[in-house]
Amino acid sequence: MYRERDVHTKDCPGKDVLSAYFDGELDPRSMDQVSVHLSGCSLCRQRLEGFAVLRKRLNDVPFSLDLVASKERTLNLIEAQHVLRRAAKRERFWDRRVFIPLPVVAAVGLLFMFTIAALIVWEMQPKTVEMAEIKDVDPVGPYDVDVKNLEQLAEFLQNSNSTIEVTIRLPSQPAFFLMGEPKLLRETDYKRGK
Amino acid sequence: MKVRFLPLLILVSLVSVHGEDIESALKSLKDKALAVNVATRVLEKDQVTVWHTESSKVTISGKAVSLKLSGDNVLILADITPYMNADGTLLLVAQGEVYITSSPDGGVKYYSTMKSVPVKAGEKVIFFPLGVAFDADENVYTIEVEIEVLPYSEMIKRKEGITDGSR
């Protein structure tokens, strides 16, 4: 025999179970168990009646569902959010992804490496001064000296104050250093010494 | 009073002189004239020539050919004097003065030297006014002045030979 209960106990089914029972969604065995419980529990019965009242009220409310308009609003909302997201991404340049073909990446890499190698080789080259070859060969005569006798010739030679001078401008680079005592060597001795 | 000659004017001239004595005197001078060929080079490591210039002057025995080499940090004055002996050999005397600035403060150093070496006519002599570095490091450059003294008559023959060869 069941005694009527006036408070919920741990044996009372929960709201979800009662709701499922009300909707007839429980399996037959569970339906029987809940039915047995309801026969002896006035609180659960009241709750079940509350479900019935709620359903009745919902059914009484005039409900018109405009699916087409709702769909339109939803799509518009999604589109608006998408546009906003794209705009936000466009502002951040560093977030943009750019597609570069692999051969292009490889070619750029090779070019970069070649440039670095060329710079290294160029730096390792000994610095040379600018090549120059200046031939300052004094032309050999003729000179016209108008003398009529030996006395005039001797006088001309004695009064002549010219010097035999060769002036050579050395290259501006490199800077020269004194490496030791000046030397005067026969070419043969110098080559033998080397 | 120091007597200065102008042999180069005489030796190579087609002078308009009159009289056999003048001609014989000129011939005598011409026979004693010497040609001084000077080739100046700047060498870098491994004796590679990076700069080169040549000059040729005519002088007589005992008269110096003055050589002036001027660079940004160096000034070299050299007097090259050939002395011809009776046997035809030469004594070459090189008197050099070097002014060089090698320090950052711009101080100038001065060196002077006098060297002599007996040579045969046409034998080349090399003068190193700043010394010579046989095992030069990189960026060390040597100034080399190659001097060749030979009788002027041989110089003329050599030139004529070149001219004939080029024809």
Side-chain angles (χ1 to χ4, degrees):
Chain A
M1 289 293 286
Y2 288 98
R3 191 168 58 88
E4 287 289 327
R5 294 171 185 154
D6 48 7
V7 291
H8 285 294
T9 67
K10 64 177 181 180
D11 296 330
C12 290
K15 277 187 181 178
D16 295 341
V17 177
L18 272 180
S19 176
Y21 172 83
F22 182 76
D23 292 335
E25 294 172 347
L26 294 176
D27 60 87
R29 189 180 170 191
S30 299
M31 290 289 282
D32 290 344
Q33 287 177 348
V34 173
S35 296
V36 170
H37 177 79
L38 285 171
S39 62
C41 181
S42 60
L43 289 175
C44 286
R45 281 201 304 272
Q46 285 177 9
R47 184 173 281 176
L48 199 63
E49 286 168 4
F51 287 155
V53 171
L54 182 60
R55 175 180 284 180
K56 185 176 181 303
R57 284 182 182 172
L58 286 172
N59 288 336
D60 290 344
V61 172
F63 185 70
S64 62
L65 186 60
D66 187 353
L67 285 176
V68 175
S70 176
K71 181 183 174 183
E72 189 68 23
R73 281 197 305 275
T74 306
L75 288 175
N76 287 340
L77 186 62
I78 292 170
E79 179 67 19
Q81 288 179 346
H82 186 62
V83 168
L84 285 172
R85 205 172 294 127
R86 278 201 319 199
K89 278 189 177 178
R90 200 174 294 134
E91 287 175 359
R92 293 188 295 179
F93 176 78
W94 52 88
D95 285 342
R96 295 180 66 179
R97 290 188 176 182
V98 179
F99 175 73
I100 302 174
L102 185 61
V104 174
V105 174
V108 171
L110 281 173
L111 185 65
F112 179 74
M113 288 172 65
F114 177 78
T115 306
I116 295 294
L119 281 173
I120 291 171
V121 169
W122 184 77
E123 278 296 322
M124 289 173 66
Q125 289 287 327
K127 298 291 183 293
T128 57
V129 298
E130 186 181 352
M131 291 289 287
E133 183 166 349
I134 306 164
K135 293 196 174 184
D136 177 29
V137 179
D138 188 36
V140 179
Y143 296 94
D144 194 0
V145 181
D146 188 13
V147 291
K148 292 184 171 58
N149 51 49
L150 277 176
E151 286 73 24
Q152 287 185 6
L153 176 60
E155 187 180 358
F156 174 80
L157 294 174
Q158 189 159 346
N159 293 334
S160 173
N161 199 27
S162 66
T163 57
I164 304 170
E165 187 172 298
V166 182
T167 301
I168 296 168
R169 177 71 187 166
L170 291 169
S172 57
Q173 291 293 329
F176 296 100
F177 302 100
L178 194 71
M179 290 171 287
E181 187 185 345
K183 288 189 183 300
L184 184 69
L185 303 168
R186 287 192 193 89
E187 187 185 36
T188 49
D189 295 341
Y190 174 59
K191 287 180 178 173
R192 197 180 302 130
K194 280 201 297 187
Chain B
M1 179 179 173
K2 186 177 180 181
V3 177
R4 289 189 172 271
F5 295 98
L6 192 59
L8 73 165
L9 294 177
I10 307 304
L11 307 172
V12 295
S13 63
L14 296 174
V15 290
S16 57
V17 294
H18 308 283
E20 291 182 0
D21 51 350
I22 292 289
E23 287 181 3
S24 64
L26 289 175
K27 186 177 182 307
S28 176
L29 278 174
K30 192 174 177 181
D31 291 341
K32 292 178 181 176
L34 299 169
V36 179
N37 299 325
V38 178
T40 307
R41 303 186 192 96
V42 175
L43 309 174
E44 64 172 8
K45 191 185 178 188
D46 299 327
Q47 302 296 304
V48 177
T49 301
V50 294
W51 190 87
H52 177 210
T53 183
E54 290 179 4
S55 185
S56 182
K57 295 290 176 185
V58 179
T59 185
I60 57 170
S61 176
K63 180 164 178 63
V65 172
S66 296
L67 192 66
K68 180 180 176 184
L69 306 173
S70 61
D72 281 0
N73 73 321
V74 67
L75 173 64
I76 299 161
L77 304 173
D79 284 342
I80 301 157
T81 312
Y83 292 95
M84 180 170 267
N85 299 318
D87 59 357
T89 59
L90 293 160
L91 178 69
L92 201 63
V93 178
Q95 182 181 5
E97 292 176 282
V98 178
Y99 300 84
I100 187 164
T101 56
S102 55
S103 55
D105 60 0
V108 180
K109 291 182 179 177
Y110 171 77
Y111 300 88
S112 67
T113 184
M114 180 176 278
K115 301 281 180 183
S116 65
V117 60
V119 292
K120 296 174 187 171
E123 185 179 6
K124 290 180 179 174
V125 169
I126 303 176
F127 179 52
F128 298 94
L130 298 180
V132 56
F134 288 102
D135 297 319
D137 295 331
E138 285 185 15
N139 301 324
V140 172
Y141 295 84
T142 306
I143 297 177
E144 177 183 293
V145 182
E146 184 186 273
I147 304 159
E148 180 189 31
V149 182
L150 68 166
Y152 177 73
S153 54
E154 284 189 27
M155 177 80 170
I156 294 295
K157 285 178 188 173
R158 187 187 288 182
K159 287 196 172 183
E160 286 173 354
I162 293 170
T163 309
D164 290 342
S166 62
R167 280 175 189 168

